[in-house]
Amino acid sequence: MKTITYAGIPEDLAKLETAKIVLIPVPYDGTSTWQKGADKGPKAFLEASENMELYDIETDSEVYQQGIYLAEAVTENSSPEAMVEAVHQRTKKFIKKNKFVTVFGGEHSVSIGTIRAFNEMFNDLTVLHIDAHADLRESYEGSTCNHACAVYEASQTTNLIQVGIRSMDSIEKTVMDKEKTYFAHDMVMEDSWMDAAIDQMTDNVFITFDLDAFDPSIMPSTGTPEPGGLLYYETLEFLKLVFKEKNVVGFDIVELCPNEQEKSSDFLAAKLYYKMLSYKFQNENIEDNFESNFNDTTQAGNKKSKFNTEDDY
């Protein structure tokens, strides 16, 4: 992937030493089972980002001025397990540098590594999973690091809340916490779902956002589009509340499967990413230092030490 600054921002705002935000691209598509192309998602997202207006009307801010460092892409693809471990270690490295760390995939299996890192570094973590699919299979096609398993580990080690779900296998019912799952067909009938979901969150929240959570009418370019999805402004309303009420410690966005004939999906992904940053930093002065509340102890942040937590970088 060509080394550029995020959204074409000036180089002095894109230096690791001074940037508050880190963006890690992960162009990986090793386990998707229908439409291929999510490995091209980060490139399409970055190209679309270069064409955005960088003033956010709603928050009256220009969040890029907080500094956004575009990290080298994680390109490990020898196996799903190796990719997950590479994402895990790279994400953890930047968290330890006191940065607000974000990841753009690639397919949803990349989130296994991302979530693992945040879970080790932040106490009492909630994972907010916004998606059309439950992604709760313990293993699929011979691997626990498949896109269909994206949040199984999180279901066992974090406070997992799922929003927008409208497709799943019956086996996933044995794992799913239905009290913390907001199905799309219920959400459309019940206005109180946003407050209910937020009430179930702990203070520290990591968001994993699969773009197929959106309805295909506004996000057709994804690997597995499902009818009946979220629309743009209701999604922003929910995200704005989460960022206001909770300490969002980081997020990832996955499953952009770009189509040369349809660029609006690329642009939606770019705007969503920038909007989420705008919500995070809207009350932060540019000159203020960013202070993460990660737990830098020898015990993994959420006391889940069965995974490789080697800190040699």
Side-chain angles (χ1 to χ4, degrees), residues 237-285:
E237 180 185 358
F238 179 51
L239 290 172
K240 184 177 182 179
L241 286 172
V242 175
F243 277 94
K244 179 181 178 182
E245 299 293 333
K246 301 297 177 180
N247 177 38
V248 176
V249 297
F251 63 83
D252 66 29
I253 298 175
V254 297
E255 297 282 359
L256 175 64
C257 188
N259 178 346
E260 282 297 323
Q261 308 305 317
E262 193 279 302
K263 294 295 187 180
S264 64
S265 294
D266 305 351
F267 204 77
L268 190 160
K271 293 287 283 189
L272 176 69
Y273 176 84
Y274 199 71
K275 179 66 78 171
M276 291 171 74
L277 291 183
S278 298
Y279 288 152
K280 174 64 181 178
F281 287 91
Q282 64 178 319
N283 296 317
E284 299 284 336
N285 293 322

Side-chain angles (χ1 to χ4, degrees), residues 4-6 8-21 64-71:
I4 54 175
T5 64
Y6 164 76
I9 66 175
E11 291 186 7
D12 63 319
L13 295 174
K15 296 178 180 178
L16 177 61
E17 296 77 13
T18 55
K20 298 179 185 179
I21 301 155
Y64 77 93
Q65 295 189 25
Q66 303 283 353
I68 304 172
Y69 173 71
L70 178 60

